[in-house]
Amino acid sequence: MPVAQVSGLTVKYGNKVAVQDLSCEVPEGCVGLLGPNGAGKTTLIKALLGFVPAASGTGSVLGHDIKSEPLQIRMEVGLMPELDCHIPGLSAVEYVAYAGELSGMPRSHAIRRAHEVLDYCALGEARYRNLETYSTGMKQRAKLAQALVHGPKLLFLDEPTNGLDPEGRDEMLELIRDISHDKNVNVIVSSHLLPDIEKTCDYVIVMQQGTVRRQESVSGIRAVSATQWDVELREAVERFGEALSSVGGSVLHSVSNFYRIEMSASEVPASLRIFEAAQASGAQIRSLRAAQRSLEEAFMEAIQ
Amino acid sequence: MSAPNGPIADLSYRNYDGPKSVDGLRWWPIAKNGIRGAMRKKFFWVLVALAMLPYLFLIIQMIVLNAITSRGDDEVTRNLPTFIQMLAGAYGNTVWVMFVALLVGTGSIAADNRANALQVYLSKPITRRDYVIGKLMSVFVPVYAVSLLPMLIATSFAAFDQGVVSFFQDHPLLYFKLFVVAAVPALAHSSLICGLSAWNKTPWMVGVIYVAIYFFWNAVSMIASFAMRNQIGDEAAITLRFFSIDGAISGLGYRIIGSMPGQGFGAARDLFPAPLPLFALLAAFVILGVFLCYSRVRAVEVVSG
């Protein structure tokens, strides 16, 4: 069941069309909204949350209509905005507890829960400090904590690694991966940073100029074609190429003991034929998988 | 719950499945947070003390007047101000209440604008209306309390001093009037200051703008009243004199209390400003303030063109 879906969605800011006739389904799990700046990722999130009205089209989040049930949606989702934002004059624990109260939690529950999520976000004793004294990384964690405090079923993370140093970025990505893969919270990560999406997401929606260019699983979007395979041998074997040709395959290129091969169509599965060729040539296969390209290559192809 | 052979307690993230509700007064947490923030400021209590000074002076005045009255000199007693006149006089010292409103209200929305807090608020099950009401109430409630409490204390002192039964026979609706009159400065200040605050990112700038408008308008209405007195007559002139933020607050207050302030130990002024223009002005302040808030409070910047 999709956690969010839109159909024919158009969003305008004045005369400027930010999202045009967009249709997509966001599956459960960790989904990346990928696109260059100005692609409409943030606008799509804002439309799903009911911040900006749709000029046309329909949509739903967790089964709630984006036009008629925005409050229900916001009660069940969490948003970590892109901008540096906090509520002035509060410590992190007050801020997160306040966010919980705003989400409809009783104050005593909100306070207890604030401590739990701040612990989880590794803010430790710093939670008692005023937010205005925080570093960028700590502010990002506090932003994540306020989005998590009410136990959302779906979390929107808009450029979650903005302004973070490499170490802080790795920690944030680790946190996102943990939330989405180990804690059963659906996550939509909006980013223009391909490595962030690659590290955290299972599914990706590529956007450009307000439209969806491609949506697929990360492994699917990276797959080159169904007939190409990447083989790693224990050591390079010259006769492996010859053996492959006898089973309908050919080496496209090789670097050291890594081979990219192409297998012709046959009733016998390609993987079996590759193992046959290896046995015949005395090669030992270390790994075998469908050939993949980098997400960057896939992304560039999608937006061209 | 941990598995029998698992760790004793899982301290990592757990989903929240406790109570949550979007029904009821969604603006109340916002108002409560604002009030709590105000009460945490030491300077707030200094201003509260200063706002109470006119009423403390009123109580001292009553003690002194009691001493004078007890001498039984009829000539002197006849010219003494009444309690209601003195109460109106204390109420007319609105400047400290304004400073309380400034302290509480200037940053109410401006600080949120500066910290981009609106996205946090509006990503929760909170509407723009909830946010605006919450912010208005976070200013209104402290200002109302600061206006009302000293009046209640002074009036209660007078009631016990005169004798409760006799006091209530003389002033049957006074307590009710106090609850109404305290709302006048609270409404005017909270709506106007919040409205200005919504269009700014710098709280002190809001304060400077409001104080400038407050005093400048007051001075203009006063000068215009004196200058035009002969042409428009006394009644219109006194209404014109009160046609400002400060004037509307004090003028309406005097009407509700039922007396203009006593002039020292002399006779009270007997001319009230006309209530309708002042009430219309107060309503305009509230509508303008709410409109300014509502037109500015958005989760996203609106790009036109």
Side-chain angles (χ1 to χ4, degrees):
Chain A
M1 180 193 163
V3 291
Q5 53 188 358
V6 290
S7 173
L9 184 78
T10 299
V11 178
K12 292 178 179 176
Y13 294 121
N15 295 330
K16 187 182 183 302
V17 179
V19 166
Q20 179 141 36
D21 197 23
L22 188 144
S23 298
C24 68
E25 281 194 354
V26 181
E28 289 180 338
C30 191
V31 177
L33 270 182
L34 196 55
N37 289 328
K41 307 182 297 288
T42 302
T43 301
L44 176 59
I45 291 177
K46 286 173 178 170
L48 290 174
L49 289 169
F51 288 177
V52 285
S56 63
T58 57
S60 67
V61 177
L62 300 168
H64 301 293
D65 185 72
I66 58 171
K67 284 180 185 164
S68 59
E69 298 172 284
L71 291 188
Q72 281 299 330
I73 291 173
R74 286 184 232 154
M75 195 161 83
E76 292 180 27
V77 309
L79 170 70
M80 178 183 172
E82 178 185 0
L83 293 168
D84 173 23
C85 56
H86 60 272
I87 291 168
L90 301 181
S91 67
V93 73
E94 288 167 333
Y95 170 56
V96 177
Y98 183 37
E101 278 191 89
L102 293 173
S103 302
M105 294 167 72
R107 183 157 171 78
S108 57
H109 287 242
I111 292 173
R112 192 174 60 216
R113 177 81 179 158
H115 285 283
E116 282 175 16
V117 291
L118 285 165
D119 248 348
Y120 175 66
C121 293
L123 277 169
E125 291 303 304
R127 77 185 88 157
Y128 299 107
R129 266 171 48 198
N130 191 304
L131 281 166
E132 277 135 54
T133 66
Y134 274 22
S135 66
T136 308
M138 292 165 87
K139 280 182 183 167
Q140 291 288 86
R141 286 166 184 275
K143 269 192 333 192
L144 180 60
Q146 67 78 27
L148 277 172
V149 64
H150 58 296
K153 292 176 187 155
L154 171 64
L155 200 55
F156 289 95
L157 308 178
D158 198 356
E159 306 284 358
T161 56
N162 240 4
L164 296 182
D165 59 23
E167 193 185 344
R169 192 167 148 254
D170 283 346
E171 287 169 1
M172 178 57 76
L173 294 176
E174 194 57 46
L175 211 49
I176 295 168
R177 196 165 171 81
D178 186 60
I179 293 165
S180 59
H181 290 83
D182 299 335
K183 311 298 183 217
N184 295 322
V185 178
N186 297 299
V187 177
I188 297 178
V189 183
S190 161
S191 180
H192 62 278
L193 300 172
L194 300 167
D196 289 7
I197 298 290
E198 204 161 11
K199 274 189 183 172
T200 53
C201 299
D202 311 312
Y203 192 89
V204 69
I205 296 171
V206 180
M207 292 184 69
Q208 195 191 20
Q209 292 175 334
T211 56
V212 170
R213 287 301 174 92
R214 198 165 170 186
Q215 48 180 325
E216 209 174 343
S217 66
V218 171
S219 56
I221 203 169
R222 288 178 61 186
V224 178
S225 80
T227 58
Q228 291 187 15
W229 296 80
D230 284 334
V231 182
E232 184 191 352
L233 300 182
R234 183 168 175 271
E235 56 187 358
V237 175
E238 268 185 37
R239 285 179 293 121
F240 182 58
E242 292 165 24
L244 269 178
S245 54
S246 67
V247 293
S250 60
V251 175
L252 294 175
H253 56 82
S254 66
V255 178
S256 180
N257 55 333
F258 293 91
Y259 293 78
R260 163 91 34 113
I261 62 176
E262 172 114 38
M263 299 299 292
S264 60
S266 164
E267 284 183 6
V268 184
S271 53
L272 274 183
R273 286 184 283 148
I274 294 167
F275 275 106
E276 272 176 30
Q279 194 177 24
S281 60
Q284 195 181 94
I285 293 178
R286 278 276 176 83
S287 72
L288 169 67
R289 63 177 185 185
Q292 287 195 328
R293 58 194 164 168
S294 72
L295 190 57
E296 190 175 351
E297 284 172 313
F299 173 70
M300 292 309 289
E301 186 194 289
I303 62 168
Q304 271 164 9
Chain B
M1 193 185 288
S2 61
N5 297 321
I8 293 168
D10 177 11
L11 292 177
S12 70
Y13 179 82
R14 274 164 290 170
N15 200 21
Y16 174 74
D17 53 6
K20 261 194 302 189
S21 169
V22 291
D23 302 326
L25 302 173
R26 289 190 300 263
W27 52 266
W28 177 236
I30 299 172
K32 207 168 52 173
N33 184 61
I35 295 165
R36 235 185 343 243
M39 290 172 71
R40 253 189 242 153
K41 292 175 185 166
K42 282 178 192 159
F43 198 55
F44 172 77
W45 296 106
V46 174
L47 288 175
V48 168
L50 289 169
M52 292 183 95
L53 275 183
Y55 297 92
L56 183 67
F57 182 66
L58 189 159
I59 290 171
I60 294 167
Q61 243 182 325
M62 277 192 290
I63 294 167
V64 173
L65 292 184
N66 273 348
I68 295 169
T69 316
S70 62
R71 286 187 197 161
D73 186 340
D74 285 350
E75 189 62 33
V76 175
T77 308
R78 218 181 359 258
N79 288 324
L80 291 179
T82 64
F83 169 72
I84 295 296
Q85 283 173 336
M86 290 191 292
L87 183 68
Y91 169 80
N93 288 294
T94 56
V95 71
W96 296 116
V97 176
M98 182 195 71
F99 282 126
V100 171
L102 285 175
L103 184 78
V104 179
T106 50
S108 61
I109 302 179
D112 283 350
N113 288 342
R114 193 175 53 181
N116 295 315
L118 277 172
Q119 275 206 5
V120 177
Y121 279 107
L122 298 181
S123 68
K124 308 298 175 199
I126 295 282
T127 62
R128 284 163 66 196
R129 190 177 58 193
D130 297 327
Y131 177 82
V132 170
I133 294 174
K135 288 294 175 183
L136 284 169
M137 291 306 282
S138 71
V139 186
F140 177 86
V141 172
V143 177
Y144 183 71
V146 170
S147 301
L148 178 66
L149 286 178
M151 279 197 285
L152 284 179
I153 293 168
T155 305
S156 300
F157 182 87
F160 284 113
D161 186 51
Q162 185 185 327
V164 176
V165 176
S166 146
F167 186 83
F168 276 103
Q169 278 169 349
D170 289 351
H171 315 289
L173 290 174
L174 186 58
Y175 273 95
F176 173 72
K177 285 179 179 177
L178 295 186
F179 281 94
V180 177
V181 83
V184 175
L187 272 175
H189 290 312
S190 58
S191 49
L192 286 174
I193 291 176
C194 280
L196 281 176
S197 185
W199 283 82
N200 265 285
K201 288 189 173 181
T202 322
W204 68 261
M205 183 64 85
V206 177
V208 169
I209 294 170
Y210 189 69
V211 168
I213 293 171
Y214 185 89
F215 286 111
F216 179 72
W217 193 353
N218 196 24
V220 168
S221 66
M222 205 181 285
I223 293 165
S225 159
F226 278 116
M228 297 169 74
R229 190 172 190 160
N230 291 334
Q231 289 114 310
I232 61 176
D234 281 355
E235 281 186 24
I238 195 148
T239 301
L240 183 60
R241 156 70 190 87
F242 282 92
F243 203 75
S244 63
I245 302 172
D246 175 57
I249 291 169
S250 45
L252 275 175
Y254 299 150
R255 286 298 306 213
I256 295 165
I257 291 171
S259 172
M260 296 292 278
Q263 290 182 305
F265 285 81
R269 293 177 195 152
D270 50 5
L271 262 184
F272 279 108
L276 208 59
L278 300 191
F279 183 76
L281 193 58
L282 178 71
F285 292 155
V286 175
I287 292 166
L288 177 69
V290 172
F291 172 76
L292 286 173
C293 290
Y294 205 72
S295 59
R296 187 71 175 123
V297 171
R298 291 173 195 282
V300 289
E301 289 289 331
V302 177
V303 183
S304 57

